[in-house]
Amino acid sequence: MSLLELKDVSKIYGPLKALDKVNLKVEEGEWVAIMGPSGSGKSTMMNIISCLDKPTEGQVLLDGVDIANESSKKLTEIRRDKIGLIFQQFHLVNYLTAVENVMVAQYYHSMPDEKEALAALERVGLKDRARHLPSQLSGGEQQRVCIARALINHPEIVLADEPTGNLDEANENIVLDIFRQLHEEGTTLIVVTHDPEVGEVAERTVVLNYGKISKEIINENFGKEINN
């Protein structure tokens, strides 16, 4: 049984079909990149997978359970317990330190634990920046805080929306190295990206066009480092 499966999933806004009968399976431990031009349905698919939105039609199976028709309260619980979200814009609380931003995710899940939060920051190479505010961190460091926050509750799936979109080359490679490590540890990764080079280091690339999957590619460069 696949960890995640979309069956004939559509999302309709009036005359617009943002997603049109999409079928997709993601296996446990797989690293999938979702690509496509602006307006192709990438963000809509990400919102549905992350339980931030519901499909108009179809099934979304997570661990074999259809979450498509769950209540907003239940979707919040699923997102809290099973999904780690990484955003392009970071969404850090500007008056909290790095470790406090990680602990916010713990607060909504169970109980804040500074020791665990510091260990999560150490994992992404930021333990020495734990007491800094977001304004005192570079863009790459803020993204790594976002990654630590996403990982703190040990999610089944990590969803990343353009995680390297605001980063320079050096920080992009740091983030991708973290993703490689997570994949080696068995974490399921779904990454939305516009960058072909980022897509190519995933295990599989799913290309969307006009709300439909136009092709899927098994990547020959999977696991290789990018040489810019």
Side-chain angles (χ1 to χ4, degrees), residues 201-221:
V201 298
E203 192 171 356
R204 175 166 56 113
T205 298
V206 175
V207 181
L208 286 173
N209 271 298
Y210 301 107
K212 294 177 178 286
I213 294 177
S214 60
K215 60 182 173 179
E216 297 188 41
I217 304 164
I218 303 301
N219 291 319
E220 295 180 358
N221 290 327

Side-chain angles (χ1 to χ4, degrees), residues 23-196:
N23 291 281
L24 176 69
K25 291 183 179 182
V26 178
E27 305 301 326
E28 184 175 358
E30 192 175 10
W31 180 355
V32 177
I34 298 175
M35 301 190 67
S38 179
S40 62
K42 301 190 304 296
S43 295
T44 301
M45 180 184 283
M46 180 65 80
N47 287 341
I48 289 173
I49 294 172
S50 63
C51 299
L52 291 168
D53 200 359
K54 298 180 183 182
T56 307
E57 300 170 350
Q59 293 179 292
V60 182
L61 303 177
L62 181 59
D63 283 334
V65 177
D66 186 6
I67 62 174
N69 296 310
E70 295 286 1
S71 66
S72 295
K73 180 180 179 181
K74 183 63 176 178
L75 290 177
T76 298
E77 292 173 358
I78 293 169
R79 186 167 61 250
R80 178 193 68 196
D81 296 338
K82 295 180 178 290
I83 297 170
L85 292 172
I86 300 169
F87 303 98
Q88 180 180 4
Q89 302 298 335
F90 315 139
H91 296 303
L92 300 176
V93 181
N94 59 15
Y95 56 83
L96 297 180
T97 63
V99 69
E100 289 169 341
N101 266 284
V102 175
M103 290 169 67
V104 166
Q106 291 178 305
Y107 174 81
Y108 287 107
H109 181 266
S110 52
M111 184 75 69
D113 185 319
E114 184 176 86
K115 184 177 180 181
E116 286 186 2
L118 287 170
L121 286 172
E122 184 174 22
R123 183 178 186 181
V124 298
L126 285 181
K127 189 173 183 179
D128 62 338
R129 308 286 280 171
R131 308 298 176 185
H132 288 66
L133 296 170
S135 61
Q136 298 170 312
L137 301 173
S138 70
E141 289 170 336
Q142 290 184 62
Q143 186 60 290
R144 282 187 276 161
V145 173
C146 188
I147 294 171
R149 182 182 60 189
L151 298 177
I152 191 64
N153 295 321
H154 310 289
E156 293 184 29
I157 301 176
V158 172
L159 299 176
D161 188 5
E162 299 285 4
T164 62
N166 289 331
L167 306 184
D168 59 22
E169 177 184 323
N171 280 296
E172 176 180 297
N173 287 329
I174 290 170
V175 168
L176 291 177
D177 283 341
I178 294 170
F179 285 176
R180 290 187 184 95
Q181 180 183 353
L182 290 172
H183 179 265
E184 289 172 2
E185 294 170 358
T187 301
T188 304
L189 294 166
I190 302 176
V191 180
V192 168
T193 180
H194 69 280
D195 188 337

